Amino acid sequence: MIQFDNITHDERKKVAEEAAPLLLQLQGPNLGGPGATMVLGTSMTEVMITPQWVAAEGLGGESGEQSLLQSTGQTISIVETRANNGTAVGYVRHATGTGRDNTAVQITAVSGSVIAGRIRDGLEWIKANVQGEPTVRVLTAPAYQLTALGLYAGDELTGILTVTPMTGGLPIANEQVLTPAEFRQRLRTFAPIQGLEP
């Protein structure tokens, strides 16, 4: 059985209340129109894969290299609709407060992206194919335009499942869990996106 980092009921309720009007604007027809029931599905902590982590070697093994992964301080919650057999129609990225007594929630992004469905499909694949009880977190790598699911044992990243389609000949297949070392080795063959020059 897979596990997730905790998010309180009050925080989930606040996220759902604040995100619902925005999602209706983005995905109204897919949600079944005004008044349709939306469900806030799985919520996962987000961790950023940096180019420094990809390039790292010899920093005291995996634990030393994992220090180069960056917590974004965000949680990604999948949004589903009861229409169309519970289709994942988007996600909400949000920062949360410090617990039950301080449930300050800040919505930082609402998206109707198909990535929500790919994340949910990845979770179903993990449930069916991975042994044990890993904690699952969303791994984002903006410099590589890549989204993956990280499998953790405690705070140690032990496996990575890519959920975005791989383009440009990237030698990482979906439905294949790689160790962090294997993942980095394959990703090193591609230069990260540098962005626009000023």
Side-chain angles (χ1 to χ4, degrees):
M1 184 87 172
I2 61 177
Q3 302 179 60
F4 305 100
D5 296 307
N6 290 333
I7 176 173
T8 69
H9 174 73
D10 289 342
E11 289 169 340
R12 287 178 59 80
K13 183 177 176 184
K14 185 74 170 166
V15 168
E17 288 171 357
E18 291 187 11
L22 300 170
L23 276 167
L24 279 172
Q25 289 176 3
L26 286 173
Q27 291 285 64
N30 291 335
L31 291 171
T37 304
M38 287 182 286
V39 178
L40 192 64
T42 305
S43 296
M44 293 163 282
T45 301
E46 181 184 42
V47 176
M48 186 181 303
I49 293 173
T50 64
Q52 294 80 9
W53 178 80
V54 173
E57 279 190 274
L59 295 175
E62 286 297 326
S63 59
E65 292 159 359
Q66 286 186 77
S67 66
L68 297 172
L69 293 170
Q70 295 180 355
S71 172
T72 65
Q74 304 285 306
T75 298
I76 291 180
S77 295
I78 304 299
V79 177
E80 302 168 355
T81 178
R82 292 216 172 124
N84 302 322
N85 298 319
T87 304
V89 294
Y91 65 85
V92 179
R93 179 179 279 120
H94 51 96
T96 56
T98 58
R100 289 187 173 90
D101 297 328
N102 178 7
T103 57
V105 170
Q106 180 181 10
I107 304 294
T108 56
V110 175
S111 175
S113 171
V114 298
I115 289 177
R118 295 183 195 281
I119 290 172
R120 195 172 78 168
D121 291 346
L123 291 172
E124 292 302 318
W125 188 90
I126 291 169
K127 287 177 188 175
N129 295 284
V130 174
Q131 298 295 316
E133 298 182 351
T135 299
V136 179
R137 297 179 179 129
V138 174
L139 302 177
T140 57
Y144 299 92
Q145 297 182 333
L146 183 142
T147 302
L149 295 175
L151 284 66
Y152 285 78
D155 288 329
E156 183 181 354
L157 178 63
T158 59
I160 299 172
L161 174 72
T162 303
V163 295
T164 50
M166 296 294 94
T167 59
L170 191 61
I172 300 175
N174 296 93
E175 298 187 351
Q176 177 184 16
V177 175
L178 298 173
T179 67
E182 291 169 328
F183 183 84
R184 277 200 316 271
Q185 182 180 11
R186 294 185 189 191
L187 206 51
R188 280 186 200 126
T189 62
F190 290 84
I193 297 165
Q194 299 297 318
L196 299 174
E197 294 292 328

